[in-house]
Amino acid sequence: MQQEAPGSAVISLLVDNESGALARIVGLFSGRGYNIRSLTVAPVDEHGMQSRVNIVTTGTPADIRQIKAQVERLVPVSRVADLTADGPHVAREMAMIKVVSSGEPRTEALRIAQAFRARAVDTTASSFVFELTGSTDKLDSFIELMRPLGLVEVSRTGVAAICRGPQTIQSL
Amino acid sequence: MGEQDKMTPQTASSAPDAQKPQTLPGAEVLMRALDEQGVEVIFGYPGGAVLPIYDALFKQNRIRHVLVRHEQAAVHAAEAYARSTGKVGVVLVTSGPGATNAVTGLLDALMDSIPLICLSGQVPSSLIGNDAFQEADTTGITRPVTKYNYLVRRPEDLAPAVHEAFTIARSGRPGPVLIDLPKNITVGDAPYVAASQTPMRVAKGTAEPDREAVKRAVAAMKKARRPLFYTGGGVINAGPKACENLRKLVKLTGFPITSTLMGFGAYPGNDKQYLGMLGMHGMYEANLATHGCDVLIALGSRFDDRVTGRVDAFSPDSFKIHADIDASQINKIIPVDQPIVGDAGRIIEMMIEEWEKEPAYAHQADLAAWWEQIEAWRALDCLRFSQDQAPDAVIKPQKAIQRIYELARETGRDTYVSTEVGQHQMWAAQFFRFDDPNRWLTSGGLGTMGYGLPAAVGAQIAHPDALVLDIAGEASTLMNIQELGTIAQYRLPVKLFIINNHYMGMVRQWQELLHGSRYSESYSDALPDFVKLAESFHAKGLRATRMEELDDTIRAALEHDGPVVVDLCVTEGENCFPMIPSGAAHNEMILGPDQEERGAKVTREGMMLV
């Protein structure tokens, strides 16, 4: 069998909101040697009984299928979708980027932020905190551009993802 | 008796609060839930955090408790109880060291798909996280070694957790479930909720298998010229009916069948169509058939590395059908052509239905050629060894195990066999043949030394009138030798046969073959006198050192109505063959000295044919 090329995948799970559920998922990834590039988790139903977990992982298509099958075995996991494989999806993350600079670099940072539609959520005479939402690539390029302009700190949420169109994780 | 009365639901109906669920001390709720789940026996060891549970056990007489001598042994005993009965095994251990001692057993059960419930005590909820005496993060520690685990935080969660735990343990691919019970939960009052009133999360893997997938599998089977069934523990777990149907399917198709270590007895071991075990120490004919087959039908087996050998050379030319209840096993190691997810028993049933729809088999003649080839491989007699027959000759380990098997069979008694882990285990796997499922108790996936003696305890408790043997090595059995105390206490007539070669034999064999005969730390020095050891544990101790003593000693052990420890002193340097060295393919087996020359020749001929 031909080895398929490794790639990145967004896996979304619906999980019972119980203690240890996240440890179970994360432990499965570390115990079986799978990579977690980013992880987001928050309750998503009205009673807070279920959380949605979005994991960005890497591997060959066979690896990803195996990850999905392994995660499906976990008792508190009620739904698993490989959003990358199951059709078009939207994946976004948010970052807060702190830039400390003055003079020309400070003006340049503000200009670039405007071009990226980043919002300055905190401003002092010597610093900005920009809030930026977008794809991982967009956030990466913004951060790279900020680096020579006084970038001192980055806080990113990791990816939240959802499939496009009327389909839901339940109907996939 | 007052306590007993409180536990019957009828007494509650006259009470004013009849509508509300009945409230009892948590430990009694636990007993009642276990009772409702059909628990008859608990294997356990008391301690501070489980005293309320032991008190509740004391006050009732429906559930029996077997006191082991180490918590690891409790789990192995419960595993064997479960494996030999098809029921869920139950373990009760205290917090901290009690729970950590159980970890090896839990992982053993997880790897071999054994349904278990482990109840562990925990410090009171208010102390959790304080590094309290005998506190351990038990759910954290056992998360990767269980199918699921609970920490019961609220009294109203207690009964539902027990009921759901049993459902999870026994459904889908079975496995161990741990319930961690803080002391305030077992001491304080809790409502009793019946299983029927408990919402269960649906267990995975219980859906009906895809009929179209079965049809495609059967279509491939009908076109096969060199087919082979490769069955495993999943068929045993699917139950006696599945084993019965497997026999029917194998007869119907006329195909050869090989089994994994976990699958013994699903198909009769002495039947002509049975090729014996495959894999690292499997039969020559089974491995070459696996290598050469054109359709491989894997039923309830998981392509373990001890089965496959080198993965890229495993059964290279076959169309592979893989039926497993656990979808994550499919395409995990070996890419397959036709997956079928579902219960092995149900899939076998459906295969029979599909096969019978159109019973005409187009390639009977080709199948005859395949059988001819298999018989040629079989003629090599890969287990043959030479034993000096002189009365004072040293006994070979193979001879000892072969005679135990033959003489046990002569008794005509229903026989359960446990093993430790190592050479003796593989020889037992080679020489013992089982007519029925659930009789073979061994640690397959985890390879846990010290499994056999506590497993024999569990099997004998479950089957008091059966003959229960532990085929052991002197090194392995010392890992849980304290269970001779349990055996004495409950007067369990277990027969412990120690194949004593003064070495960790399998370690020694690998050191000889792979590490230039540097026997680093594998010699069993300063061994106890096993006869005296037996006597000090109130058992009968026997020893055989020469060929002339072998049969009489085995017979004396089998006839004795009580526990026996037999020290069978065997040759030290014997290796277990055939063997697929790790990283090698099935057609690169190492044969014993008796077969080597012919073997090499047959291999080449075989390779040309298949």
Side-chain angles (χ1 to χ4, degrees):
Chain A
M1 208 181 194
Q2 209 179 318
Q3 193 72 34
E4 299 158 292
S8 174
V10 184
I11 294 178
S12 279
L13 327 169
L14 285 181
V15 180
D16 293 347
N17 219 346
E18 62 177 28
S19 104
L22 188 60
R24 223 174 274 284
I25 294 159
V26 171
L28 187 152
F29 273 75
S30 66
R32 292 187 183 269
Y34 307 140
N35 179 34
I36 295 182
R37 243 198 228 170
S38 107
L39 170 75
T40 57
V41 53
V44 287
D45 68 330
E46 60 180 315
H47 305 295
M49 303 290 282
Q50 283 211 314
S51 285
R52 181 167 178 137
V53 178
N54 300 292
I55 297 175
V56 180
T57 185
T58 50
T60 64
D63 291 339
I64 305 296
R65 280 193 295 272
Q66 178 62 209
I67 290 173
K68 198 179 154 202
Q70 291 288 352
V71 175
E72 269 170 351
R73 298 206 301 171
L74 299 175
V75 172
V77 173
S78 57
R79 204 65 212 145
V80 183
D82 174 359
L83 294 182
T84 312
D86 296 342
H89 68 281
V90 194
R92 293 288 181 269
E93 61 176 312
M94 197 264 269
M96 286 188 278
I97 296 121
K98 185 173 287 184
V99 179
V100 178
S101 52
S102 59
E104 183 53 28
R106 181 172 159 91
T107 333
E108 179 66 6
L110 197 58
R111 234 189 335 261
I112 293 172
Q114 276 161 357
F116 272 78
R117 293 190 195 155
R119 251 165 22 102
V121 289
D122 178 70
T123 309
T124 69
S126 60
S127 70
F128 287 117
V129 174
F130 294 117
E131 176 202 296
L132 179 60
T133 305
S135 68
T136 299
D137 284 350
K138 178 181 170 184
L139 267 56
D140 287 347
S141 355
F142 183 74
I143 290 165
E144 279 317 303
L145 288 169
M146 287 297 124
R147 216 173 279 287
L149 303 175
L151 179 96
V152 291
E153 192 176 354
V154 178
S155 178
R156 290 172 77 150
T157 57
V159 169
I162 202 160
C163 53
R164 290 183 184 271
Q167 276 192 327
T168 67
I169 187 170
Q170 299 284 8
S171 65
L172 275 176
Chain B
M1 283 314 287
E3 295 297 329
Q4 295 270 313
D5 291 341
K6 249 208 276 181
M7 285 173 68
T8 58
Q10 284 77 13
T11 53
S13 59
S14 55
D17 59 347
Q19 308 310 319
K20 282 200 268 173
Q22 199 184 357
T23 298
L24 298 166
E28 284 174 32
V29 167
L30 174 66
M31 283 306 125
R32 199 161 147 189
L34 294 176
D35 191 27
E36 191 184 338
Q37 290 295 334
V39 175
E40 290 160 359
V41 185
I42 294 176
F43 299 89
Y45 201 103
V50 286
L51 283 175
I53 303 174
Y54 273 86
D55 202 40
L57 263 173
F58 188 83
K59 290 179 194 160
Q60 58 85 52
N61 54 15
R62 294 176 65 85
I63 299 172
R64 182 180 177 200
H65 180 271
V66 175
L67 176 67
V68 295
R69 300 305 191 259
H70 187 285
E71 288 88 351
Q72 184 195 353
V75 188
H76 294 326
E79 281 184 87
Y81 177 90
R83 192 53 145 184
S84 69
T85 61
K87 297 176 190 166
V88 179
V90 182
V91 178
L92 172 55
V93 298
T94 193
S95 64
T100 57
N101 277 346
V103 167
T104 302
L106 292 172
L107 183 54
D108 193 274
L110 185 72
M111 297 278 271
D112 287 344
S113 314
I114 311 271
L116 279 192
I117 300 294
C118 180
L119 307 163
S120 58
Q122 181 56 278
V123 300
S125 303
S126 58
L127 292 183
I128 290 179
N130 282 343
D131 302 319
F133 177 65
Q134 292 196 329
E135 182 189 352
D137 173 11
T138 301
T139 45
I141 291 168
T142 59
R143 205 170 279 128
V145 300
T146 52
K147 188 173 173 187
Y148 190 60
N149 63 15
Y150 299 83
L151 170 60
V152 179
R153 293 168 182 276
R154 303 180 307 173
E156 60 267 36
D157 294 339
L158 174 57
V162 176
H163 294 313
E164 193 187 56
F166 273 86
T167 306
I168 292 171
R170 61 164 83 94
S171 61
R173 180 177 175 186
V177 179
L178 178 135
I179 309 175
D180 205 23
L181 298 162
K183 203 170 177 180
N184 57 309
I185 295 288
T186 50
V187 171
D189 282 345
Y192 186 75
V193 185
S196 57
Q197 305 299 310
T198 301
M200 308 268 181
R201 281 170 283 188
V202 181
K204 323 280 163 98
T206 42
E208 176 78 354
D210 176 10
R211 172 73 64 172
E212 291 310 308
V214 176
K215 279 186 179 165
R216 285 192 293 271
V218 172
M221 284 158 67
K222 287 201 167 169
K223 277 187 251 155
R225 289 150 191 261
R226 302 186 307 276
L228 178 68
F229 284 108
Y230 148 49
T231 62
V235 182
I236 309 261
N237 275 337
K241 177 118 187 293
C243 299
E244 216 174 281
N245 280 327
L246 175 67
R247 292 154 195 231
K248 194 173 163 195
L249 179 64
V250 173
K251 286 291 156 207
L252 208 56
T253 56
F255 294 177
I257 172 171
T258 178
S259 169
T260 70
L261 184 70
M262 301 316 295
F264 289 180
Y267 190 83
N270 287 308
D271 185 86
K272 243 188 119 44
Q273 278 171 259
Y274 183 66
L275 308 187
M277 179 173 74
L278 81 166
M280 184 173 274
H281 292 287
M283 304 293 285
Y284 184 72
E285 51 269 37
N287 283 336
L288 286 192
T290 307
H291 191 81
C293 65
D294 68 347
V295 174
L296 184 70
I297 310 126
L299 302 172
S301 46
R302 61 179 178 90
F303 297 92
D304 179 82
D305 56 84
R306 286 299 185 265
V307 160
T308 59
R310 202 172 87 222
V311 169
D312 61 7
F314 176 79
S315 194
D317 305 317
S318 62
F319 180 91
K320 296 177 185 72
I321 298 161
H322 188 188
D324 204 290
I325 199 160
D326 177 0
S328 73
Q329 299 308 311
I330 290 169
N331 289 321
K332 185 180 76 174
I333 294 165
I334 300 290
V336 297
D337 303 285
Q338 183 56 66
I340 314 171
V341 178
D343 175 64
R346 183 70 194 112
I347 292 167
I348 292 167
E349 253 171 38
M350 291 164 80
M351 282 181 165
I352 292 173
E353 287 162 21
E354 293 303 323
W355 185 275
E356 283 182 334
K357 273 186 192 163
E358 200 193 315
Y361 184 41
H363 297 285
Q364 288 292 353
D366 297 308
L367 209 55
W370 178 229
W371 272 111
E372 204 174 303
Q373 171 62 70
I374 288 169
E375 290 307 331
W377 289 327
R378 197 178 249 165
L380 180 82
D381 192 8
C382 68
L383 298 184
R384 192 160 39 85
F385 58 94
S386 47
Q387 167 71 57
D388 184 349
Q389 297 295 334
D392 63 344
V394 187
I395 306 158
K396 286 212 169 173
Q398 301 95 310
K399 188 71 190 172
I401 288 169
Q402 187 180 40
R403 290 307 288 159
I404 297 167
Y405 168 61
E406 287 164 358
L407 294 172
R409 215 172 158 82
E410 273 178 23
T411 65
R413 297 179 62 190
D414 195 9
T415 305
Y416 292 80
V417 183
S418 73
T419 74
E420 311 289 336
V421 168
Q423 281 185 323
H424 67 274
Q425 177 191 29
M426 290 298 108
W427 279 315
Q430 292 172 342
F431 288 100
F432 274 76
R433 294 294 169 104
F434 295 86
D435 298 328
D436 298 301
N438 307 100
R439 302 301 193 278
W440 166 251
L441 312 164
T442 199
S443 169
L446 194 60
T448 311
M449 290 172 73
Y451 173 88
L453 195 57
V457 168
Q460 192 81 76
I461 290 282
H463 310 277
D465 300 323
L467 177 62
V468 177
L469 317 176
D470 175 18
I471 307 297
E474 84 290 338
S476 272
T477 203
L478 281 175
M479 284 210 182
N480 269 321
I481 197 72
Q482 78 287 343
E483 293 313 306
L484 285 175
T486 310
I487 286 169
Q489 179 178 345
Y490 297 93
R491 299 172 196 282
L492 304 175
V494 165
K495 318 299 181 214
L496 167 59
F497 289 98
I498 301 171
I499 312 301
N500 186 350
N501 62 356
H502 289 87
Y503 272 102
M504 296 158 207
M506 195 58 92
V507 174
R508 196 210 57 80
Q509 173 167 346
W510 282 50
Q511 287 173 334
E512 179 187 327
L513 299 176
L514 305 168
H515 296 277
S517 297
R518 291 179 295 278
Y519 299 128
S520 178
E521 302 295 323
S522 55
Y523 184 69
S524 293
D525 215 337
L527 283 172
D529 179 331
F530 285 109
V531 173
K532 285 186 187 155
L533 183 73
E535 284 161 2
S536 75
F537 273 106
H538 322 288
K540 190 183 181 79
L542 297 170
R543 178 174 292 121
T545 54
R546 299 191 306 272
M547 267 306 282
E548 61 181 345
E549 298 165 339
L550 181 63
D551 281 13
D552 290 346
T553 309
I554 296 170
R555 275 202 190 93
L558 295 176
E559 280 160 15
H560 180 66
D561 183 23
V564 187
V565 177
V566 190
D567 185 14
L568 291 171
C569 303
V570 297
T571 49
E572 291 190 350
E574 204 64 22
N575 287 332
C576 184
F577 292 120
M579 176 182 184
I580 302 175
S582 48
H586 280 195
N587 57 343
E588 297 167 347
M589 297 191 85
I590 304 177
L591 293 160
D594 285 25
Q595 296 90 355
E596 219 154 39
E597 247 175 64
R598 278 179 60 209
K601 210 169 81 203
V602 175
T603 306
R604 270 192 293 275
E605 282 170 3
M607 284 313 98
M608 277 187 268
L609 271 163
V610 291

